[in-house]
Amino acid sequence: MIARVSLEIALRKEFDYLVPAELAGKVDVGSRVQVPFGARKILGVVTAVAEESAQANLKPIIKVIGAQTLVTPKVLQLARWIGEYYCCAPETALKSVLPEAVRKEDASWRERLFVRVLPVTGEFPKLPKRQQDVWNIVEERREILLSELVQLATTTAATVRKLEDRGLLSITNEISERDPYANETILASQPIVLNPAQVVALEKIKTAMSAPGGTGILPETHGASTPGLSASVGLQSTPQKNLAGSRFHPGNAGAAHTFLLHGVTGSGKTEIYLQAIAHALEQGKGAIVLVPEISLTPQTVERFKARFSSGNLQTLVAVLHSHLSAGERHDEWHKIRQGRARIVIGARSAIFAPVEPLGLIIVDEEHESTYKQEEAPRYHARDVAVMRGQMENAVVVLGSATPSMESFYNCKNGKFMLLELPERVDNQKLPLVRVVDMRQAASGARGKEGSIPIFSPQLKEAITKRLERGEQTILFLNRRGYSTSLQCPKCGYVANCPNCSLTLTYHRPEPKLSCHICGHSERVPNVCPEPKCKNPAIRFAGTGTQRVEDILGKLFPRARIKRMDADVMRKKDDYRRVLGEFRHGDIDILIGTQMIAKGLHFPNVTLVGIIFADMALNMPDFRASERTFQLLTQVAGRAGRGDVEGEVFVQAFTPFHPAIQYARRHDFVGFYEQEIEFRKQLHYPPTGRVALLTLKGRNEDKVKFSAEHLKRELEKRQTELGGLQISGPAPAPLLRAENYYRYQIMLRTRAMTRLSQSLSKIVQTLVLPDDVTLAVDIDPVNLS
């Protein structure tokens, strides 16, 4: 028997190995194996099995990792598609579908010693006091960890062993699962009665889930061949077990099984998710729920565990995200693979969870840019979700109050089905949004203080009223640190990062200057560092969340204030702890960056203040207006989710910008209609497709020359790729990052799959200097 293996090194080839007799029956498609490769031993995944190979003198597989196959055939097929569409090595794509904690050769379950009471026959023996105390604890608990027992009884393991010798206790070595939510108390919840709009949306989703037959997968129209084993080496065309199927691209998603649930903030999208998942469980299928930020996970997990912790549909709810320990990730993943956890919640990589059979995929806040992977493979989890839904005949629900332009465009073109929730649940009103013109506030403040104020008089008054009434406030500023730069007013010196084209941010209380790109930090100078200046009046400029917290503490000394940003949320339980304190009313004012901007539900929050709403509008990115609109609408949606109507203050220096005005009116459709005209004129997504090629190296001249060489290669293929627009090469918006210079070429096309195939060939044949690298980003969301 022959096995074809994809190794964990990006060679873009697969290799044939002999399955030795002792491993017969243990090797199958998806098995993790260790194989010899030259003088090394390398791990890989079996992608096909057959009876014979075209290659002679095959080396045998050394061993199989794990008791069962780790990569399901459907996920293996999905990895192939990712490698092809996102223009990366197949091995890189395949490696991404397994968490590192699972890929490791020595990854295993944790085993611990458990103590249990044994039935006593005859008269109970008289025991010394210390042994009697131990026995009393075990009798009460019935089962307890040996380490916990020793601690509770303030004794030693030897004492417990004496009771084992007397036949009163048993001590066994057993698997102890690492559950990140083991210490949480979850109260069961019941389905909520839906309003008419929710009923309509849920019924359409359930109808699709119950529909017989497939999703009507559309083959690629550009003459794509069948993937499977055609691109690899060695196996003859003998009967074999492999992964054949049509090529896909995100534009192929059929409307029948992909829904866009567009509901205003607080419209009850999560309840629809819960009841749709219940329907999947009734059908004997599982579900995957993607959330965009780790900070959303604790609240989301709590709601799902509460609904499915008991009753006829009881199941484990597994969690997958980067803040889990390696052991927790290992155990959570294997609960899914074993079929014990039929619901999975997590960030983008959870889309690869081995749920079988899969009935439903939910992508909450589908517009979020964090669904896009920034390293190879540069996949977008939303698009991968749509593909996996097609491959596995699963329904996909994309939910958002501010859908991406791409998803709404797909609804307009009939590729997705639009479901709308135009009103909040329980007749709650959307918050009243007031736009404050900070130009007026600044002109008044400059005369008094000589600087731009952080809080307008209107926002300060509104915070005061909330504190008096015992209501809560959220303040949003998407910039961490204390001040954004350090500069000298005399000579013009600005403290810049030595490794990046970026100013250093001032942080307290250390104090220090830090770069948010490469992590460089240095002490804060007392005088201007310029030798000919030495001005002691060097000062800080700009505002970050630390400064907001500092000034807020002075304005409202009795208020209980907490900050949530990457500087303080460092431990895995920090999110859960702070959000728990806020929910219980232990915090009056919560300050934060985008991690508090969406998905959170706190009924006592009646005021939201957005400090500098137009901060991102001038970014060199065609999505700047879309992101600003989405962020303002999402942040505003945190207010007024209880009995008291919410109020939002949007502070801006460009108060009449369309993104701000449409967000003020909660008018997504109006924003879409004006924004799509701009996109059409310049062939930007969603009316066109974009690929971004980034070359980087330590020598700027080499990088620039390489970029020009690449452009010439692209121009040779421009005719065959009809309609291809090439922009650049040009310096990246952030020219230097971590001591690497970066140049970019932007490609615009209407046929992305054909362009991906062409780019794959160019990447494999392009000759670049040793110290210059090329990154291909298909459908990028970040142009910096």
Side-chain angles (χ1 to χ4, degrees):
M1 186 177 176
I2 309 300
R4 172 151 299 164
V5 179
S6 175
L7 305 178
E8 286 192 351
I9 46 178
L11 299 175
R12 294 181 181 266
K13 289 182 180 180
E14 295 175 348
F15 297 88
D16 297 351
Y17 286 90
L18 184 68
V19 179
E22 63 270 19
L23 295 181
K26 296 181 180 180
V27 175
D28 202 350
V29 173
S31 295
R32 287 274 290 168
V33 294
Q34 185 185 65
V35 296
F37 189 77
R40 295 184 288 169
K41 296 178 181 178
I42 293 180
L43 297 178
V45 175
V46 175
T47 58
V49 293
E51 293 303 320
E52 56 184 80
S53 169
Q55 305 297 322
N57 301 319
L58 296 181
K59 295 180 180 180
I61 292 173
I62 297 172
K63 65 178 177 180
V64 177
I65 310 297
Q68 66 181 138
T69 59
L70 297 185
V71 185
T72 66
K74 292 293 186 182
V75 172
L76 200 46
Q77 184 185 11
L78 186 66
R80 285 192 183 279
W81 173 80
I82 288 173
E84 293 171 4
Y85 180 75
Y86 288 103
C87 203
C88 72
E91 298 90 344
T92 304
L94 187 53
K95 192 175 178 180
S96 70
V97 306
L98 283 177
E100 186 180 357
V102 177
R103 289 202 314 269
K104 288 181 178 178
E105 183 184 353
D106 57 351
S108 62
W109 297 92
R110 177 181 63 179
E111 293 188 350
R112 303 175 78 178
L113 294 172
F114 284 84
V115 184
R116 294 181 180 85
V117 170
L118 293 176
V120 179
T121 55
E123 186 178 351
F124 189 83
K126 184 171 178 61
L127 300 173
K129 183 179 183 307
R130 181 164 291 186
Q131 292 183 24
Q132 185 67 51
D133 291 343
V134 169
W135 193 87
N136 290 342
I137 293 172
V138 182
E139 184 189 34
E140 181 182 348
R141 295 286 193 93
R142 310 309 297 176
E143 177 185 293
I144 188 172
L145 282 169
L146 176 61
S147 57
E148 185 181 354
L149 175 60
V150 168
Q151 188 174 7
L152 279 175
T154 60
T155 186
T156 63
T159 302
V160 184
R161 292 286 184 190
K162 289 177 181 177
L163 289 170
E164 181 188 29
D165 294 340
R166 301 183 73 157
L168 299 175
L169 300 178
S170 70
I171 302 176
T172 54
N173 196 27
E174 298 176 14
I175 290 175
S176 172
E177 293 184 356
R178 292 155 286 201
D179 183 354
Y181 293 86
N183 297 323
E184 295 289 320
T185 302
I186 305 293
L187 300 177
S189 70
Q190 298 300 319
I192 298 171
V193 177
L194 304 179
N195 62 32
Q198 288 175 303
V199 169
V200 170
L202 178 63
E203 285 306 312
K204 288 184 178 179
I205 294 169
K206 289 169 69 174
T207 299
M209 293 172 69
S210 302
T215 57
I217 295 172
L218 305 176
E220 177 56 73
T221 57
H222 302 306
S225 61
T226 301
L229 299 178
S230 58
S232 47
V233 284
L235 285 183
Q236 306 245 3
S237 55
T238 52
Q240 52 190 316
K241 194 174 182 180
N242 68 355
L243 300 166
S246 300
R247 289 181 187 258
F248 305 89
H249 67 80
N252 278 343
H257 279 63
T258 301
F259 295 92
L260 174 62
L261 182 59
H262 176 210
V264 298
T265 56
S267 58
K269 294 186 288 294
T270 304
E271 185 60 30
I272 292 177
Y273 300 159
L274 289 164
Q275 296 195 26
I277 290 173
H279 187 68
L281 295 177
E282 288 169 354
Q283 294 179 315
K285 298 180 178 180
I288 296 173
V289 182
L290 300 184
V291 290
E293 298 278 0
I294 293 171
S295 60
L296 289 180
T297 304
Q299 198 172 39
T300 306
V301 171
E302 187 177 300
R303 292 189 68 175
F304 281 78
K305 281 183 176 284
R307 184 62 57 88
F308 298 107
S309 61
S310 60
N312 296 333
L313 301 177
Q314 181 178 0
T315 181
L316 294 178
V317 177
V319 186
L320 294 173
H321 60 74
S322 60
H323 272 216
L324 299 180
S325 68
E328 288 170 340
R329 279 197 293 273
H330 171 277
D331 292 3
E332 293 290 289
W333 191 91
H334 279 282
K335 289 177 195 174
I336 304 163
R337 186 69 185 98
Q338 293 169 356
R340 294 188 291 133
R342 296 160 67 199
I343 301 173
V344 181
I345 301 174
R348 61 175 176 260
S349 61
I351 190 57
F352 304 118
V355 177
E356 286 189 314
L358 181 62
L360 179 65
I361 303 173
I362 292 166
V363 185
D364 194 26
E365 310 291 3
E366 63 86 25
H367 64 278
E368 275 298 318
S369 61
T370 50
Y371 283 126
K372 177 73 170 177
Q373 173 100 340
E374 294 299 326
E375 303 86 30
R378 294 174 174 82
Y379 67 88
H380 197 300
R382 178 193 63 218
D383 295 340
V384 174
V386 173
M387 286 302 100
R388 184 168 182 186
Q390 285 208 54
M391 291 177 177
E392 302 200 33
N393 193 24
V395 169
V396 180
V397 179
L398 313 176
S400 178
T402 54
S404 64
M405 295 288 291
E406 289 82 356
S407 293
F408 203 73
Y409 184 77
N410 278 335
C411 290
K412 293 286 187 181
N413 290 340
K415 292 179 178 178
F416 297 170
M417 181 177 288
L418 180 63
L419 306 174
E420 296 191 279
L421 303 176
E423 298 177 353
R424 284 187 161 185
V425 296
D426 299 331
N427 298 315
Q428 294 172 354
K429 293 182 180 180
L430 286 166
L432 176 65
V433 180
R434 305 181 189 276
V435 180
V436 180
D437 189 344
M438 290 301 286
R439 295 172 297 182
Q440 297 178 3
S443 61
R446 280 197 181 101
K448 300 174 185 177
E449 305 167 13
S451 61
I452 298 173
I454 295 175
F455 298 103
S456 62
Q458 299 95 314
L459 181 55
K460 282 192 281 190
E461 183 182 351
I463 294 172
T464 302
K465 288 181 180 178
R466 268 57 184 193
L467 291 172
E468 290 172 352
R469 298 202 296 249
E471 296 167 3
Q472 292 173 300
T473 299
I474 288 178
L475 296 178
F476 172 80
L477 175 63
N478 203 22
R479 181 184 282 163
R480 58 193 177 98
Y482 190 89
S483 294
T484 51
S485 64
L486 175 70
Q487 51 190 308
C488 176
K490 184 177 178 181
C491 72
Y493 166 85
V494 176
N496 290 311
C497 176
N499 308 316
C500 309
S501 305
L502 205 67
T503 59
L504 295 172
T505 300
Y506 172 57
H507 284 257
R508 284 186 178 179
E510 289 84 355
K512 66 178 180 180
L513 295 171
S514 295
C515 175
H516 292 169
I517 299 295
C518 70
H520 169 82
S521 64
E522 58 187 60
R523 66 177 185 84
V524 179
N526 296 319
V527 298
C528 176
E530 285 293 329
K532 295 181 180 179
C533 181
K534 299 295 183 182
N535 177 23
I538 192 167
R539 67 187 184 191
F540 305 106
T543 298
T545 49
Q546 284 187 349
R547 189 176 179 205
V548 172
E549 181 183 31
D550 184 47
I551 293 175
L552 203 62
K554 295 173 182 176
L555 290 174
F556 306 102
R558 295 186 178 181
R560 297 167 296 176
I561 302 167
K562 274 287 175 75
R563 190 175 93 244
M564 279 187 72
D565 58 30
D567 293 324
V568 290
M569 298 289 107
R570 294 181 176 177
K571 298 178 181 178
K572 67 178 182 178
D573 292 327
D574 285 343
Y575 295 100
R576 200 183 314 174
R577 176 180 52 79
V578 174
L579 293 178
E581 291 174 2
F582 195 57
R583 183 186 299 110
H584 295 134
D586 299 329
I587 299 171
D588 298 316
I589 304 173
L590 183 64
I591 307 160
T593 53
Q594 61 182 352
M595 64 176 62
I596 66 167
K598 53 263 177 190
L600 301 178
H601 178 84
F602 298 109
N604 198 37
V605 173
T606 60
L607 175 66
V608 168
I610 303 172
I611 306 298
F612 295 133
D614 45 3
M615 191 167 61
L617 278 175
N618 296 317
M619 296 289 287
D621 193 321
F622 67 87
R623 288 192 177 93
S625 291
E626 180 184 6
R627 288 199 181 118
T628 297
F629 171 82
Q630 290 168 342
L631 205 52
L632 297 186
T633 305
Q634 293 287 342
V635 177
R638 300 316 105 207
R641 287 172 167 254
D643 298 330
V644 181
E645 186 177 354
E647 191 174 22
V648 180
F649 283 87
V650 178
Q651 299 185 161
F653 289 92
T654 54
F656 300 108
H657 191 284
I660 294 175
Q661 287 300 315
Y662 282 116
R664 180 179 69 84
R665 298 194 294 268
H666 309 281
D667 183 6
F668 169 78
V669 175
F671 173 79
Y672 171 85
E673 289 174 349
Q674 67 89 32
E675 180 71 10
I676 199 69
E677 292 304 317
F678 151 68
R679 304 287 181 93
K680 284 178 182 175
Q681 290 175 11
L682 297 176
H683 306 291
Y684 281 133
T687 59
R689 307 291 287 280
V690 168
L692 189 66
L693 313 183
T694 302
L695 294 103
K696 71 175 186 178
R698 298 191 184 276
N699 184 302
E700 184 177 4
D701 291 336
K702 278 188 182 181
V703 175
K704 185 178 180 181
F705 175 81
S706 300
E708 290 168 348
H709 170 58
L710 175 58
K711 181 180 182 179
R712 289 191 291 271
E713 292 297 314
L714 290 165
E715 287 172 339
K716 293 176 184 176
R717 293 169 168 79
Q718 202 161 4
T719 303
E720 67 183 70
L721 293 171
L724 178 67
Q725 291 180 262
I726 304 175
S727 301
L734 183 63
L735 170 61
R736 191 163 55 105
E738 299 180 90
N739 266 328
Y740 285 94
Y741 291 92
R742 307 175 324 138
Y743 275 70
Q744 294 177 335
I745 298 174
M746 180 186 284
L747 307 178
R748 281 172 280 180
T749 183
R750 294 185 182 277
M752 181 55 78
T753 301
R754 188 162 58 183
L755 177 59
S756 291
Q757 293 167 357
S758 184
L759 286 174
S760 290
K761 295 174 184 175
I762 291 174
V763 168
Q764 293 179 58
T765 58
L766 186 69
V767 178
L768 294 173
D770 291 340
D771 53 351
V772 176
T773 59
L774 169 63
V776 178
D777 194 354
I778 305 296
D779 301 327
V781 299
N782 184 359
L783 302 184
S784 62

